[in-house]
Amino acid sequence: MTKRTKKIWITLAIIASIPLMMWFCWYLKPKTKMVAAIIDKTVLTSDGQEHISFLWVLNHEKLTKTASKLYKIDHDYFGFFPLAQEKFRLKGLERFNNDQLHQLSEDINLVYFTDTYGIYRNEWYAQKNNNERSGMVYGGMSGQDIELLKQMKEKRKLIITEFNSIGSPTGKETRKQFENMFAMHWTGWTGRFFESLDTARNKELPRWLINNYKLANNNNWPFKKSGIALVSEQDKVIILEDGRDLKNPMPHIISGEYGQKVLGLPEEIKYPFWFDIIQPDKAINTQVASFRMDVNQSGRSLLNANGLSAIFPAVLMHKQADYRFYYFSGDFCDNPVSLSTSYFKGISAFKWLFYNTSDPMERSSFFWNFYRPMMTTILEQEREFNNK
């Protein structure tokens, strides 16, 4: 073997050993018990897509449910549990009485509502069109959920909530209780970016979205380009189309000074998935980051006519002595990430391998550059708080 060949083999061996060393460093990292109540009512498969991002951070940081046990994505949450042959189990907080809710609030360090949208018949039962709306199997924030939130707030424990915690199908009275408790108001509007609004090209466009727009617009759906669809609680649909209403069709999240310096957020990042439009009491809540739709005059006029603004909250925070609360106005915990990558310390140095920035619909970059640093910091702050 020549010296050159030997050097090549040594180099290859070192490169091949990097993942093993990363895993070994993760394995040696000490575990810290941090008990989280995760509420997810939208679990179609055991992959736990709606809470996978949070489990990734917990696992990567070695934050455990007991002194020794890591969280399991298909087990450690409250909500809808899928079984084989269209069967399921419901293990939400709805089965808890007041004493049990009180005990739960004593036992846990934090609660995170990742999704309460729920499961619908056309999604769960076979041979249904999942682009159409249908009757609900399970979902919506419940009175027991509100009671746990109330007790967590009184005990000054960490509360994290996000998009669709209080949207449909949560009842109005329950929603009002949440809004009063946390000094914010849902406008009734949700939205999402679509790469193509052309029904001939994009078969993923929800049929109910198209039909509701047509009902109010003489059966017309004239859109061919990309754009943003906004939907009200009363099923009114507004379409902001690229070129006609938007200078840039992709919504972006803009982070303020606190978000950038403390939470590690980028100054600006695209966001191509579902979001809701809320109005906070800014005397109580801090707007850490904001959504921005890049509208032109036509788009601005359309928003104004419906009482909407092109800039609205993306991350709300109340972090005072009385209680600690976050609200994320997007489906932030739902990202296409692999839990297996969480077992490697320093994996974020290779994050560029896990997404393609040329794809406008990819959401992995949002996880690596926005959600992961933000949630890691929030949990690190919580760990320090609990150690005081």
Side-chain angles (χ1 to χ4, degrees):
M1 182 182 294
T2 66
K3 288 184 178 181
R4 184 173 180 274
T5 303
K6 187 175 181 180
K7 285 182 179 180
I8 291 173
W9 277 108
I10 291 172
T11 302
L12 291 174
I14 291 173
I15 292 172
S17 68
I18 289 175
L20 180 60
M21 289 187 291
M22 292 169 64
W23 174 84
F24 192 63
C25 289
W26 174 87
Y27 180 79
L28 292 177
K29 181 180 174 71
K31 294 176 179 176
T32 301
K33 181 180 177 182
M34 184 176 290
V35 186
I38 302 165
I39 288 81
D40 187 354
K41 303 187 181 186
T42 317
V43 184
L44 281 168
T45 71
S46 59
D47 294 337
Q49 185 62 41
E50 299 293 338
H51 60 269
I52 191 170
S53 297
F54 184 55
L55 263 290
W56 192 102
V57 177
L58 288 173
N59 192 58
H60 187 65
E61 298 302 315
K62 298 290 280 289
L63 299 174
T64 53
K65 61 182 179 180
T66 69
S68 60
K69 291 184 179 179
L70 295 168
Y71 286 86
K72 294 181 180 179
I73 197 162
D74 60 348
H75 182 268
D76 296 314
Y77 66 94
F78 297 98
F80 186 92
F81 286 75
L83 303 174
Q85 299 179 331
E86 299 183 351
K87 298 181 189 285
F88 57 87
R89 291 184 65 188
L90 300 181
K91 295 194 289 185
L93 299 182
E94 293 77 20
R95 62 204 169 107
F96 282 40
N97 60 36
N98 285 340
D99 290 340
Q100 290 170 320
L101 289 171
H102 172 77
Q103 188 59 53
L104 179 62
S105 69
E106 291 284 343
D107 294 340
I108 62 179
N109 299 110
L110 67 99
V111 61
Y112 189 170
F113 280 76
T114 65
D115 204 298
T116 69
Y117 179 70
I119 302 293
Y120 289 76
R121 297 184 64 83
N122 61 353
E123 298 171 313
W124 186 245
Y125 296 107
Q127 298 179 347
K128 299 288 184 179
N129 180 359
N130 62 11
N131 281 328
E132 292 285 3
R133 284 178 171 169
S134 67
M136 184 174 65
V137 177
Y138 173 70
M141 185 173 282
S142 67
Q144 289 85 353
D145 296 328
I146 287 289
E147 180 60 28
L148 178 63
L149 287 169
K150 178 183 175 183
Q151 294 193 30
M152 292 293 285
K153 182 181 177 184
E154 290 174 351
K155 292 178 174 66
R156 302 175 183 179
K157 293 189 174 184
L158 179 61
I159 297 166
I160 305 172
T161 57
E162 67 173 60
F163 165 77
N164 221 73
S165 289
I166 56 173
S168 176
T170 295
K172 289 183 179 180
E173 181 56 36
T174 302
R175 180 184 307 145
K176 192 67 176 177
Q177 289 178 288
F178 182 98
E179 291 174 330
N180 291 338
M181 198 182 305
F182 298 114
M184 53 172 280
H185 169 67
W186 178 46
T187 63
W189 289 90
T190 60
R192 182 187 166 178
F193 168 80
F194 289 96
E195 186 178 11
S196 174
L197 293 166
D198 189 338
T199 55
R201 291 179 54 201
N202 188 355
K203 300 304 180 182
E204 299 301 314
L205 282 168
R207 292 304 312 174
W208 56 264
L209 178 76
I210 300 166
N211 293 338
N212 285 340
Y213 184 88
K214 285 183 172 182
L215 281 173
N217 293 275
N218 299 316
N219 205 38
N220 290 321
W221 179 270
F223 311 108
K224 300 297 182 183
K225 300 179 181 179
S226 59
I228 300 169
L230 299 172
V231 186
S232 79
E233 191 179 13
Q234 289 76 36
D235 286 332
K236 182 176 183 178
V237 178
I238 298 172
I239 302 296
L240 300 169
E241 189 176 23
D242 185 25
R244 189 191 68 167
D245 309 296
L246 297 164
K247 292 181 281 186
N248 181 350
M250 178 68 71
H252 282 72
I253 298 176
I254 313 300
S255 299
E257 183 177 4
Y258 180 90
Q260 293 179 56
K261 291 186 176 180
V262 179
L263 298 180
L265 301 179
E267 182 179 357
E268 182 174 347
I269 192 169
K270 66 169 183 158
Y271 187 76
F273 210 40
W274 288 102
F275 58 83
D276 56 10
I277 301 176
I278 63 168
Q279 296 171 338
D281 183 340
K282 292 185 179 180
I284 297 176
N285 292 306
T286 300
Q287 193 163 316
V288 173
S290 305
F291 278 107
R292 183 186 68 195
M293 297 184 289
D294 195 6
V295 295
N296 57 24
Q297 186 56 49
S298 171
R300 189 174 295 105
S301 297
L302 189 55
L303 291 176
N304 290 343
N306 289 275
L308 298 173
S309 171
I311 298 175
F312 48 93
V315 177
L316 281 185
M317 177 184 74
H318 180 92
K319 191 181 174 187
Q320 304 295 334
D322 53 350
Y323 67 97
R324 288 165 296 132
F325 166 77
Y326 291 87
Y327 184 83
F328 309 147
S329 298
D331 213 353
F332 285 6
C333 202
D334 180 356
N335 299 289
V337 296
S338 171
L339 205 58
S340 62
T341 58
S342 68
Y343 294 94
F344 299 92
K345 186 173 177 61
I347 189 67
S348 61
F350 302 92
K351 62 185 179 182
W352 51 273
L353 293 171
F354 301 109
Y355 55 86
N356 177 12
T357 54
S358 65
D359 179 6
M361 296 304 293
E362 64 83 22
R363 305 200 311 279
S364 295
S365 62
F366 176 81
F367 169 80
W368 289 102
N369 297 317
F370 192 100
Y371 184 89
R372 186 197 61 83
M374 177 177 67
M375 189 55 63
T376 300
T377 303
I378 290 172
L379 293 176
E380 178 58 32
Q381 291 174 342
E382 184 64 15
R383 179 159 48 186
E384 292 173 358
F385 180 85
N386 292 334
N387 288 337
K388 288 181 181 179

